[in-house]
Amino acid sequence: MPIEPARFRLTEDGTPYSDSFGDVYHSSDGGVGQAHHVFLAGNGLPERWRGRARFVLLETGFGLGLNFLATWAAWRADPDRSASLHFVSCELHPFCLEDLRTLHARWPEFAGLAAELQAVWPGPVPGVHRIHLDQERVCLTLYLGDARDGLAKLSVSADALLLDGFSPACNPDLWSPKIFHLLAARAAPGATLATWSVAGDVREGLRRAGFEVEKAPGFGGKRQMLRGRLLRQTHASDQAGALAAPSSAPVATPHALVIGAGIAGTSVAERLAVRGWRLELVDAAAGPGQGASGNHAGVLRPLPSLDDNRMSRLTRAGTLYGWRHIRKLIAQGHAIRADAGGVLHLARDVAQQDKMRAVVERLQLPPELLRFVDADEASRIGGWPVATGGWYFANSGWVHPPSLCAANLAAHPGQITRHFAHKVADLVREGTHWVARDATGKPLAAAPVAILAAGTGLTGFPLASAIPLVSARGQVSLLRASDASPPRVVMCRMGYVTPAIDGLRCAGATFSVDDDATGLRALDHQENLDKLEAMLPGYTHNVEPDQLDGRVGFRPASPDRLPMIGAVPVPGTVAAGTPLADVPRHPGLHVLSGFGARGLVWAALAGELLAAQLNAEPLPLETDLVAAVDPARYLLRPARVMATDD
């Protein structure tokens, strides 16, 4: 459902108050004091996170973010703090950025932290938002939507639970037996909880869910609060997060072998390196981004749908995370060629235009993420007359993939050992390590964990035979163009065309399955020109296909057009109804593939997902989406026929 931002007013004593729920956002005796007394001290913090590699908190209502800011500040101030801090929270009505800034200004002691959070604050977009802070030592995983849905779909093993919402009388849904059982299912052994509510129904509901609770002195004018601990683990069948459980425990000395230095391989290498892993990166090319990731430009934008299906949600999450990742690397000084200057997706005809308008009205996303434009506005935005309107993604655009691959590696030069110009002919398990060998049998690199990110080269590894990957040949045409010439933004309609980039614009691309021809073909250039002409009438006048330059790449595609991220399944028969978590896997062997034509959309988020799985962290996607990209999914159902899309 669309996300409706919070609305508030201030009471006479200045406490933020919600008219929608008829309750205050924090105690009138002070929000910071309440956060420290009830939620931090009530969970035995900061003592309990000391000496830990990671500490995870789960909160039922993010609200102003005051508990998060107080926790973050206390963690920073503790010299014996855990190496990393994960804070997972749900919020149905998030504040808009302007209101958040206004409210955060009331606590100047958090000014620096609040400004860092505000700089990456997401818009009112449903789903999980992964936000890295404090040089990535602090991770906020924020679910925007109903907490009952979020807690059912979040994969997290929490050390401390913060039950913070409007009062049970004002917001009973957040204090229901369902919520208490979901919290128990997402609690780690020995987890504690704290809340300001001591209502009898709350105490009894928590007890029935498996918690031991006791009253404790409250904060300010409230005489009592509640604290407790988990006495028993909820049965595994109640844990939706079991689908996304890590396939193997983190190794003692984190060390991984990554085969492939394209957008997939460099993305996961960067995501693991930031967590302290050592990486062995092997690729047959002389440098990163030389294969399917070597195009002059690619498009990074979502693909919405009326029912907000898995493709819609995954491409939206991938786009938002992908652009945050790019902006972060650019802020660190890495030279990525990219421009989020806008993407126009034009309708094929009036009927599709009406459907596209209905999608925008149904999803009600922020206009900078998605809005409908008619033909006249589309013509003005693109700088060329068009016959139909469609979707405009103002915050999306083009990326030069090789520069992103290079930046991923440059961000952690001391942790990623590069083995370029070495083709892996065989991958074998020897003892506790995976060993990559060349055609002569010579070892190239070895590590306890191996990640296959070799694009279409995945089909050359017998260990991955259970994964139904196909090779899709794509030819891009390059047209000479002057700067600022139309189109001024990326435009799509059965294909795509970019603005001028270094005197060239990309148009394409063809999609041909099981076609291994490496040379440029005039017939494919003509196909790209035909798509371009249908999109921009009159644009290709006097352009001869046999005079165009271009590039051919081979993209790894999956039958259902979704990526494959996770532990590699062992080939064989799996009984109907077998949970994904119970499918046999090769120990320590993982895959990132099946990106198809959306490598830029999937890559950064896919790398973050696999890195989180390997480190047994809260996952950056809902569990149904994690299951949708699990490479073992094809063992549980027949692979569908390969399809293309607009």
Side-chain angles (χ1 to χ4, degrees):
M1 296 295 293
I3 297 298
E4 181 182 345
R7 300 181 185 279
F8 78 99
R9 62 181 174 88
L10 299 178
T11 63
E12 290 184 1
D13 63 5
T15 305
Y17 181 90
S18 170
D19 284 319
S20 299
F21 289 94
D23 201 0
V24 292
Y25 276 94
H26 61 72
S27 169
S28 59
D29 293 302
V32 176
Q34 176 179 288
H36 279 281
H37 180 90
V38 176
F39 297 108
L40 287 172
N43 276 295
L45 299 173
E47 292 82 7
R48 289 183 59 230
W49 64 40
R50 289 175 178 162
R52 299 274 298 270
R54 174 179 59 253
F55 196 84
V56 182
L57 300 97
L58 175 60
E59 180 187 49
T60 54
F62 190 78
L64 306 170
L66 198 51
N67 288 334
F68 171 64
L69 291 174
T71 302
W72 183 7
W75 179 84
R76 282 176 59 97
D78 185 357
D80 298 320
R81 60 181 176 263
S82 57
S84 65
L85 181 72
H86 281 265
F87 196 99
V88 184
S89 188
C90 300
E91 181 55 57
L92 179 59
H93 298 298
F95 282 97
C96 68
L97 179 58
E98 183 179 351
D99 287 344
L100 205 63
R101 284 174 175 155
T102 298
L103 291 164
H104 284 173
R106 301 159 60 84
W107 300 285
E109 63 267 40
F110 299 145
L113 304 185
E116 188 174 343
L117 174 62
Q118 293 158 17
V120 290
W121 184 247
V125 179
V128 175
H129 298 263
R130 185 71 140 205
I131 300 170
H132 302 291
L133 300 159
D134 207 335
Q135 298 179 336
E136 301 212 32
R137 299 178 301 173
V138 173
C139 182
L140 171 63
T141 302
L142 182 63
Y143 178 84
L144 297 186
D146 194 312
R148 292 170 295 182
D149 298 328
L151 291 174
K153 293 181 177 180
L154 286 167
S155 178
V156 55
S157 181
D159 302 300
L161 305 173
L162 285 61
L163 281 66
D164 191 18
F166 297 112
S167 71
C170 297
N171 188 19
D173 290 342
L174 209 56
W175 303 89
S176 66
K178 178 179 180 179
I179 290 288
F180 299 148
H181 280 85
L182 286 171
L183 289 171
R186 273 126 196 88
T192 60
L193 69 84
T195 179
W196 50 266
S197 176
V198 292
D201 289 347
V202 171
R203 300 197 310 273
E204 179 61 16
L206 288 170
R207 186 191 66 79
R208 288 178 178 272
F211 293 97
E212 178 185 60
V213 297
E214 64 177 1
K215 293 179 181 179
F219 171 74
K222 197 169 190 310
R223 189 168 60 89
Q224 295 177 314
M225 57 170 277
L226 207 64
R227 62 189 180 196
R229 62 186 180 92
L230 184 67
L231 288 181
R232 63 175 176 83
Q233 286 296 108
T234 302
H235 191 273
S237 63
D238 296 330
Q239 296 189 23
L243 285 175
S247 56
S248 61
V251 293
T253 302
H255 185 201
L257 162 66
V258 179
I259 300 176
I263 194 69
T266 61
S267 292
V268 72
E270 192 277 336
R271 291 289 76 209
L272 287 172
V274 81
R275 290 165 165 85
W277 286 58
R278 293 188 298 113
L279 286 305
E280 310 290 337
L281 184 68
V282 187
D283 196 286
Q290 302 285 304
S293 301
N295 283 343
H296 190 59
V299 186
L300 177 48
R301 57 97 177 194
L303 183 65
S305 68
L306 189 62
D307 60 352
D308 205 24
N309 57 30
R310 294 177 303 176
M311 176 69 76
S312 176
R313 293 161 60 203
L314 279 165
T315 55
R316 182 170 67 236
T319 297
L320 292 172
Y321 188 85
W323 282 112
R324 283 198 297 270
H325 179 68
I326 288 170
R327 288 193 293 269
K328 176 199 70 177
L329 290 176
I330 291 175
Q332 292 174 356
H334 300 289
I336 300 175
R337 303 291 310 284
D339 181 22
V343 176
L344 271 171
H345 184 146
L346 302 176
R348 294 188 297 271
D349 50 38
V350 174
Q352 190 188 36
Q353 179 177 269
D354 291 341
K355 292 178 181 178
M356 296 172 84
R357 181 189 287 109
V359 169
V360 174
E361 293 172 351
R362 169 68 179 81
L363 298 182
Q364 296 182 41
L365 295 170
E368 63 271 17
L369 183 62
L370 171 68
R371 68 183 179 93
F372 178 82
V373 295
D374 60 20
D376 288 342
E377 187 174 4
S379 299
R380 291 194 296 272
I381 292 171
W384 192 271
V386 296
T388 60
W391 292 326
Y392 183 49
F393 309 95
N395 281 359
S396 292
W398 62 265
V399 180
H400 178 246
S403 68
L404 178 54
C405 292
N408 280 330
L409 302 186
H412 310 280
Q415 295 170 247
I416 304 175
T417 301
R418 312 177 191 193
H419 305 270
F420 290 131
H422 290 289
K423 181 176 177 58
V424 177
D426 193 19
L427 181 67
V428 295
R429 182 81 171 179
E430 296 183 359
T432 60
H433 282 56
W434 288 100
V435 182
R437 299 181 181 277
D438 66 13
T440 69
K442 176 184 176 182
L444 299 173
V449 171
I451 300 169
L452 298 172
T456 58
L458 180 69
T459 57
F461 293 94
L463 291 166
S465 61
I467 300 176
L469 190 77
V470 299
S471 173
R473 181 186 184 276
Q475 181 170 313
V476 174
S477 302
L478 297 175
L479 287 70
R480 295 290 177 183
S482 58
D483 292 344
S485 61
R488 294 188 289 263
V489 300
V490 176
M491 301 187 74
C492 308
R493 180 188 178 275
M494 303 298 291
Y496 75 95
V497 61
T498 69
I501 306 167
D502 297 334
L504 295 172
R505 69 174 80 254
C506 298
T510 61
F511 189 95
S512 180
V513 176
D514 295 331
D515 182 347
D516 58 3
T518 59
L520 292 172
R521 297 192 294 227
L523 187 64
D524 286 16
H525 279 320
Q526 186 61 59
E527 180 181 335
N528 289 334
L529 290 177
D530 291 344
K531 294 176 183 176
L532 182 55
E533 182 65 23
M535 187 184 342
L536 306 175
Y539 195 86
T540 65
H541 184 62
N542 292 330
V543 179
E544 298 296 332
D546 56 359
Q547 296 179 1
L548 293 178
D549 198 359
R551 190 176 189 278
V552 173
F554 297 89
R555 299 165 294 193
S558 67
D560 58 7
R561 299 183 296 135
L562 296 179
M564 303 170 182
I565 309 164
V568 175
V570 176
T573 302
V574 178
T578 299
L580 276 171
D582 293 340
V583 174
R585 315 278 180 143
H586 292 290
L589 182 62
H590 306 265
V591 63
L592 281 184
S593 194
F595 290 5
R598 295 191 173 88
L600 287 169
V601 176
W602 307 129
L605 184 57
E608 174 67 13
L609 172 58
L610 184 53
Q613 288 175 325
L614 288 170
N615 284 271
E617 298 171 354
L619 299 189
L621 281 171
E622 298 92 324
T623 51
D624 63 319
L625 296 183
V626 175
V629 301
D630 191 314
R633 64 189 185 269
Y634 298 106
L635 295 181
L636 307 181
R637 55 180 168 81
R640 294 188 295 177
V641 177
M642 172 66 63
T644 60
D645 61 82
D646 184 2

